[in-house]
Amino acid sequence: MVLGFFFIVVGLPVILGIGADMFRRWLKHKEKMAEALNNQTAEKAAQYAAHTERLEQRVRVLERIATDKGADLADEIERLRDDRPVN
């Protein structure tokens, strides 16, 4: 009987307090991991957007070249090759 009372009065609050602290730490860790993942995802989205913009610009140039009827087509193609950024 005394052992049961001791467990209820002392043991249970200690166990619950330790458990609650462990849960708070785990939750804080999960929040940090989610924040890191969000930052990484946003950075990749920005990289994809920049890459898509570069591809769209190249397609516009190719469309213009394909529909151009001018005699200086070869000169314009060579000029575009010279302007291409080196990666």
Side-chain angles (χ1 to χ4, degrees), residues 15-78:
I15 291 171
L16 291 176
I18 291 171
D21 185 52
M22 288 173 54
F23 179 73
R24 278 192 294 271
R25 288 181 185 213
W26 176 79
L27 191 59
K28 189 174 183 178
H29 172 72
K30 284 296 199 182
E31 288 173 354
K32 285 183 180 180
M33 293 298 291
E35 184 179 331
L37 183 61
N38 286 341
N39 291 339
Q40 185 180 25
T41 302
E43 183 178 329
K44 281 190 177 190
Q47 289 174 354
Y48 289 143
H51 184 67
T52 301
E53 178 63 28
R54 287 192 304 270
L55 289 175
E56 288 176 354
Q57 289 174 357
R58 292 181 74 184
V59 168
R60 282 193 291 271
V61 169
L62 291 173
E63 287 174 344
R64 194 179 83 237
I65 290 172
T67 58
D68 189 13
K69 304 290 185 195
D72 297 327
L73 186 58
D75 292 337
E76 188 172 346
I77 291 172
E78 288 303 318

